[in-house]
Amino acid sequence: MGQLSFEDDCVIRELDSRYYGFLDLSNSKNAEIRNLVQQTITNLQNYIANGQVHESKNSSDNKNAIQKFEPETQAEHMENTSSQNNDETKPFDKDANEKVSIINEKPQDEHYVNALCKLGHLHLLLGEYTEALSAYQKYLRFRENNYWTNHAFIYGIGVAYFKLRCFKWAIKSFQELLYLSPNFTCANEVHLRLGLMLKHCGEFHIAQKHLQLALLYTYPSTFSELQVKFQIAHLYEVQNKHKAAKDGYEFLLNEKNISLELKADVYRQLGWMYHCVECLGEKKEREANALNFLQKSIEADPKSGQSLYLLGRCYAGINKVHDAFLAYRNSVEKSEGNADTWCSIGVLYQQQNQPTDALQAYICAVQLDKDHKAAWTNLGILYESCGQLRDAYACYLNATKQISFQKSSLIRKKQAIRMKKDTIGLSKGLSQRITFLEGQLSQAPLPSITSKRRQLCSIEEAWNLPISLEMNSRQQQTAQMLPRQVTKQSPVQGPPPPYPHSQLSQSPIPSKRIKEDGTGQQEVTHNNGQTSAPNLINISESLNQRNFNAMPESNKNSEQSVVDTFDDISNDIYKQNETIKLERLSHDALSNNEDSRHDYIGTDNADLLTTFKIQMDSKQLMAAVKLLPIDEPPVHCTILQVNAPPPSPPDCPPQKLTRDQLLPPTPSVHLENKKNAFSPQLQEFCLKHPIAVVRGLAGALKLDLGLFSTKTLVEANPDHSVEVRTQVHQSPDENWDTSQGKRVWACISHRSHTTIAKYAQYQASSFQDSLKDESDKGFPGSQAMSDSDSKDSVSNSNIVLKRKKHKINSKMLRFGTNVDLSDEKKWKPQLTELQKLPAFARVISAANMLSHVGHVILGMNTVQLYMKVPGSRTPGHQENNNFCSININIGPGDCEWFAVPDAYWGGVHNLCEKNNISYLHGSWWPVLEDLYKENIPVYRFIQKPGDLVWVNAGCVHWVQSIGWCNNIAWNVGPLTARQYSLAIERYEWNKVQAFKSIVPMVHLSWNLARNIKVSDTKLFELIKMCLLQTLKNVLHIQEYVKSKGVEIRFNGRGKNEASHYCGQCEVEVFNVLFIKEQEKRHVVHCLSCALKLSPSLQGIVCLEEYRLSELQRVYDSFTLHRTQGLAYTQ
């Protein structure tokens, strides 16, 4: 093994993860570079092995520890990804890394550590993803305290996880990368992959945001603009936005430079949409369009077995059985025969009364995919129709094994496809059949020699007996693509497929119906990998096969093919870049390049950052900024401490709690008089606890709560708008899946709007109905039950809950939420009454941070009202930017509260992830037992009329009304270091999560520096650090903009003008605004997004809100106040 030449060494040093997708080392034209990469890998492995021999003397179990973080098999990766609970592979889990037994080791030298990272890069470029991941994770062990400075590493490990389908960790790494470096060289690739993965996880809104951002970049790309627009159109389709999807697909077809492959994909999507979606026209016309588009898809891509398969489905739907058989056969001929195709063939045979052939087709299906529940169900129906009950029973059991998992994967999507009653009824129908057959088999005599001959061979015999030559050859051909089935492998959880209708009654195949008494025959279930409904077939299998080209074929089972439509990076795009030549760099150029590339961790950058300290005055700061480079855009601006890692959810406190400690008593105080309400001890009491109840407040202060009653509201402003949430009625401590009969976290609701007067009528009629029901039943009315969220989601109303011995059918309720009371002209009496509250609880107060924002933030520094019927739910959440909250129950009914201390919010976040729900974007109602198992305590208490609930900073809480009541609420920000610290931490974490912070913390911090004097040292340091970081960023941006030859115009700020957010990424934009006209509107952009639109900033108008002299004055004037300040006043 020879040493590398100087030129070869320069080439290898240049290579890192950013070349992934642009440099095709499998191409013969790049054979020289490939050989060089392989030789270098061998050298690095030998070097690292020698280092590990030395390392093992200090830690004998290092090897095993490392392996803990590596995937054992590709199938295990698929399983972990399916549940989104991959706890075995945590690239950024600091505590887990500490368990690797290297805490007491002396750190390895830089060359050894950097060799691990380089090894990961080279394996990645060769498409060896498992080896790349292993090397990256070993590197991470030694860089856990500063890995975030190496952006190429974060990108590389993100790509490795993406290709290995560990999406949870790929998303985490890509989000951190964009947070750290929005202008990263491959940021467009990152946005695309994030969009695809978030679509896969059902986070459609954020997925669309990332896909649209991917379109903005002018960087070199491994994907085309049309491919991204195809994904956006498909995103509309999976959300049932059929018109937008149709428009998107038709726009693509009108593009002159569309490729044949993409054209085939678009025609296929359109064809299946016309087949499935009723709103696209009359059935006869739709079927004609469907056949036409699918045939055009086949013309564009004759090798597409998927289009042929769907064409067969359409023919079957109009009873053209012969044509359907031909299409299915041609699909198999294209070597894309899968479990779905064989299941459909079985359905046709069964309907043509050819049970033996149907049996063989179903056996082919379940041998290709042992978890194909539709095939198992149909096979059971076939056996039952032939009187072979034991075999039918076995098949039904196999089918029900998968229903539970797959239905949960659908119901957990917060904006999932609407599930029809017939679909939900499938599991119930199977349960009925299984129960019925169990009863029949328990009474049936044992089979004997003289028994009647069976029409079909048993399931065991069918599994092992040879089948027809044609079927056998095709099955073997496909099986070769799937070398081995891992028995414990779960089906892949994908996004709701693009064919949203799932009613069995809409099946295009005429079928038998099951009788309501459970004794009749079940209808034949069409092949499908996700639900029994025929229309939930994913028609973009070919996209998966082309674009997951690095995935082992063992992972490309039919379950995967019907649940996802990733259009990652197609091979034809690779070919455009496969002959990229690497420049031979000189040694000097190489040494200058390393720091900017982040291949090796240097100290220069860290030393430079540490020179920025809050002790600097503005002149020193300006002088230091002038030393910063301006050839590249300014790096990410954080308002946290210098060199702080990317924010992430904290670990829960390690102390093991007893059962009593998991159910702590709620801190509460009862006020006797006004003096008690205004005592400093009350504020101290509230600030000391995660949540507190102040009872008797209304009586002590003589608050007229009648001003907020429904009657008064109607009299004052009957036409005032009310947002309505339609929810499912459930008991406070339960949240049931609508199809499985088990407790889940996902909440369900629909959003609409009405007026106060109309909701008041509903509220009154609901009360009257309850009295009538109570009178009719002879016992107290049914317990309040509901289901809600703060986002739109799907409503399913046919769950049957069992409580004690009563079966309670779900009923829907309407919750009137977010009634805006900010208008002082409309609501003057109400707002005046609230001035009776003590200063720390008032909406507006000098000691309230939110009063210093300078503009309205609805629901935070203004009052909002909630109008409730029993069961109205506010799902789990922390307040925006972790500010404190005030909530007063107007009555007449009670509310029940649940709360978790802020120290445990990371644990709640992890449970949301385990349940495939976004902590920030999703809607969830925790299962209490899940919290207790994770050692998370829960406060639980009743809020009576006149009670004030104080929700301290960061407290996680969820609320349900027990009776008919109204509530008023708003946020406050006490001037404490804890409140400010939690607010800026959430502000930064929101950036990582692409979640808009509605409190502009930078703007607020500068206003606090103008308006108040701070005597708390910690609070002063936090605010001063924010001022330092943002002023440094403003100065650096201005220097960079001037270097581009762009004029910065002074614009100023209007009175009460709202803070500005980027129109693309929604981060706060402070002082330097980049304006671009879009669709006749002037849209504000941050620097990063402005550079995406125009790298030279030409055509962008740059405006300044504050003159530098003013910012410098505010910065220098903000000093620590040595006497008792406002922070300790009321």
Side-chain angles (χ1 to χ4, degrees), residues 717-723 753-756 817-820 826:
N717 294 287
D719 296 326
H720 196 70
S721 177
V722 179
E723 180 182 322
H753 290 84
T754 187
T755 64
I756 286 180
T817 182
N818 298 336
V819 183
D820 174 30
K826 286 185 176 181

Side-chain angles (χ1 to χ4, degrees), residues 17 113 340 395 436 443 526 608 664 755 1016 1028 1033 1101 1122:
S17 59
V113 176
D340 296 322
C395 293
F436 173 74
Q443 301 172 10
H526 217 297
L608 182 62
T755 64
D1016 184 310
L1028 170 78
N1033 192 59
V1101 177
R1122 295 298 179 185

Side-chain angles (χ1 to χ4, degrees), residues 1010-1027:
R1010 289 184 183 93
N1011 299 341
I1012 68 171
K1013 294 180 179 180
V1014 177
S1015 58
D1016 184 310
T1017 302
K1018 187 174 181 182
L1019 176 60
F1020 166 78
E1021 291 175 349
L1022 289 170
I1023 297 177
K1024 190 74 172 182
M1025 176 58 68
C1026 176
L1027 303 184

Side-chain angles (χ1 to χ4, degrees), residues 741-807:
K742 75 173 186 179
R743 295 181 183 181
V744 295
W745 280 56
C747 280
I748 302 165
S749 77
H750 280 306
R751 179 165 54 185
S752 60
H753 290 84
T754 187
T755 64
I756 286 180
K758 290 180 180 178
Y759 189 84
Q761 292 176 356
Y762 165 74
Q763 208 174 28
S765 63
S766 169
F767 181 72
Q768 294 296 329
D769 291 344
S770 176
L771 292 178
K772 185 175 183 297
D773 291 344
E774 184 175 338
S775 175
D776 291 344
K777 293 178 181 178
F779 60 87
S782 60
Q783 197 162 358
M785 304 181 346
S786 83
D787 199 5
S788 167
D789 69 12
S790 59
K791 310 286 187 301
D792 236 357
S793 62
V794 180
S795 176
N796 299 285
S797 59
N798 63 335
I799 181 175
V800 176
L801 305 180
K802 295 181 179 179
R803 301 203 56 195
K804 297 182 179 179
K805 294 184 179 180
H806 298 286
K807 287 187 177 180

Side-chain angles (χ1 to χ4, degrees), residues 216 232 304 312 477 536 548 631 706 781 1001:
L216 296 180
I232 293 174
S304 173
Q477 183 179 12
L536 288 180
F548 278 121
D631 54 332
M1001 289 305 300

